[in-house]
């Protein structure tokens, strides 16, 4: 399946819905059949969820964020809001603050929640003003990574992507300043994924979700590199966690099936340890936390499937 790079990016930037990359009766490629980050096709943002009631787990996460924010200094709010912008700006978040205020046991707690709601509303207004320019920069960053997926000679997307195009996307993403890979970057990707799906461009959804996969692997690897505790490297030279983070998720099954039972046990421990350290160190409820957690969850499921087969 082929589409021209300039045309598809024009659709995403300007909201033109007449261009279709995927014929309606075309079979879905393999990597669009996986769940979650591994190629789902969301009708709405899978990271926002503003059109449904929050689950008990999401309520617990909101409560944790609200309690931390209520104790924060006013000058600390802008940074906190930027880190979890999608969550804090949602109607459910402010409704939850109101519920906590109504059920507060003391007048002091009630006033604290009311003050938080007021301060957050003011902070959100200021953040939105500065976010517009930032999001324009992030859109350009996303565009540069997506363009790397196009064939260099023709400027066309050829799906499934060839390994050299995936590597070009990795190189482009790696060359971006790490500060650029923030909530604005992920929010732009999320919006483009939803827009592409709504316009019937399912193959572009796959390319954009490939960017999410590459992002997750890169950021997790960077985080591990900053930690004192590194993942275990097998003495016999077999594959380790770093190899998986650098590989395409489509290759995971083949790579894992070639490993010994001992190696699989080691990899499983490393994945679990990474989930406990890297993911929990990210801002609670942030898009970065959700995307990276989803990536590791999928990896763990693949590892456990091979472990079960070898048992």
């Amino acid at each position: 399946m082929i589409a021209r790079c300039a045309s598809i990016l024009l659709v995403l930037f300007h909201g033109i819905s007449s261009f279709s990359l995927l014929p309606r009766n075309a079979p879905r490629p393999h990597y669009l059949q996986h769940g979650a980050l591994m190629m789902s096709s969301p009708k709405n943002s899978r990271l926002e969820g503003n059109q449904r009631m929050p689950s008990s787990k999401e309520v617990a996460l909101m409560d944790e964020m609200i309690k931390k924010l209520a104790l924060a200094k006013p000058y600390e709010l802008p940074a906190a809001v930027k880190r979890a912008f999608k969550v804090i700006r949602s109607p459910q978040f402010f409704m939850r603050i109101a519920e906590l205020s109504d059920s507060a046991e003391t007048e002091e707690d009630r006033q604290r929640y009311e003050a938080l709601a007021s301060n957050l509303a003011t902070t959100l207004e200021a953040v939105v003003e500065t976010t517009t320019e930032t999001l324009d920069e992030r859109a350009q960053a996303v565009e540069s990574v997506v363009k790397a997926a196009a064939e260099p000679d023709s400027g066309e997307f050829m799906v499934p992507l060839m390994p050299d195009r995936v590597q070009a996307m990795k190189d482009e993403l790696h060359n971006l300043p790490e500060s650029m890979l923030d909530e604005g970057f992920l929010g732009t990707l999320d919006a483009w994924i939803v827009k592409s799906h709504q316009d019937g461009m399912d193959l572009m959804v796959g390319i954009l979700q490939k960017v999410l996969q590459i992002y997750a692997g890169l950021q997790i690897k960077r985080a591990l590199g900053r930690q004192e505790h590194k993942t275990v490297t097998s003495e016999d030279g077999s594959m380790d966690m770093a190899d998986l983070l650098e590989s395409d998720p489509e290759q995971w099954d083949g790579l894992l099936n070639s490993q010994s039972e001992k190696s699989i046990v080691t990899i499983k421990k490393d994945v679990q340890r990474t989930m406990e350290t890297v993911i929990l160190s990210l801002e609670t409820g942030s898009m970065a936390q959700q995307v990276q957690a989803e990536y590791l969850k999928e990896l763990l499921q693949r590892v456990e499937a091979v472990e079960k087969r070898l048992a």
Side-chain angles (χ1 to χ4, degrees), residues 1-8 19-22 150-151 154-159 204:
M1 194 66 64
I2 301 174
R4 294 193 177 278
C5 177
S7 298
I8 189 65
F19 183 89
S20 178
L21 180 65
L22 179 68
E151 294 298 312
S154 63
E156 296 174 334
F157 293 112
M158 299 185 67
V159 183
M204 179 50 63

Side-chain angles (χ1 to χ4, degrees), residues 4-212:
R4 294 193 177 278
C5 177
S7 298
I8 189 65
L9 291 175
L10 186 66
V11 172
L12 293 173
F13 268 126
H14 299 289
I16 300 174
S17 60
S18 59
F19 183 89
S20 178
L21 180 65
L22 179 68
R24 297 297 180 178
N25 59 352
R28 294 169 64 79
H30 171 69
Y31 61 73
L32 281 177
Q33 297 172 3
H34 297 158
L37 185 61
M38 302 297 124
M39 304 300 140
S40 62
S41 292
K43 294 181 180 179
N44 297 299
S45 169
R46 61 181 183 78
L47 297 175
E48 196 164 3
N50 284 341
Q51 303 302 317
R52 60 175 174 79
M53 294 298 294
S55 66
S56 58
K57 183 177 180 180
E58 290 169 335
V59 170
L61 288 173
M62 284 193 290
D63 287 354
E64 181 182 348
M65 292 178 66
I66 290 169
K67 289 175 182 178
K68 288 182 179 180
L69 291 170
L71 297 175
K73 302 291 191 299
Y75 61 81
E76 296 173 336
L77 289 180
V81 168
K82 288 179 181 179
R83 287 194 299 268
F85 184 73
K86 281 273 189 178
V87 177
I88 293 176
R89 76 169 185 174
S90 68
Q92 289 95 331
F93 194 79
F94 279 87
M95 289 175 62
R96 187 56 185 164
I97 294 177
E99 291 172 357
L100 291 175
S101 176
D102 291 341
S103 62
E105 296 182 356
T106 67
E107 179 65 18
E108 181 181 358
D109 288 341
R110 186 186 65 79
Q111 292 180 359
R112 183 182 294 115
Y113 288 128
E114 290 182 355
L116 174 62
S118 177
N119 289 337
L120 282 179
T122 302
T123 302
L124 277 171
E125 290 181 7
V127 168
V128 168
E129 291 180 2
T130 59
T131 298
T132 301
E133 292 183 6
T134 300
L135 290 180
D136 287 342
E137 295 176 354
R138 300 307 182 263
Q140 292 174 11
V142 172
E143 181 188 11
S144 70
V145 180
V146 173
K147 277 185 174 179
E151 294 298 312
D153 296 332
S154 63
E156 296 174 334
F157 293 112
M158 299 185 67
V159 183
L161 296 173
M162 298 298 290
D164 65 319
R165 292 301 87 210
V166 176
Q167 185 59 51
M169 295 169 71
K170 289 182 179 180
D171 294 341
E172 187 67 30
L173 194 66
H174 189 276
N175 289 333
L176 292 173
E178 189 170 0
S179 60
M180 188 74 72
L181 306 182
D182 56 9
E183 296 295 283
F185 181 88
L186 293 174
T188 300
L189 266 174
D190 188 44
W192 285 24
I193 289 171
V194 174
K195 173 65 176 171
S196 296
H197 176 72
Q198 290 173 344
D199 289 350
M201 300 184 293
D202 285 0
L203 293 184
M204 179 50 63
V205 172
I207 292 174
L208 292 167
Q209 288 180 313
K210 180 67 68 180
V211 179
L212 278 178

Side-chain angles (χ1 to χ4, degrees), residues 231-254:
T231 56
V232 178
T233 302
S234 301
E235 295 180 358
D236 60 2
S238 58
M239 185 181 62
D240 60 14
M241 175 95 171
D243 296 320
L244 289 167
L245 293 176
E246 292 174 359
S247 65
D248 191 317
E250 292 182 35
Q251 301 173 336
W252 283 350
D253 291 340

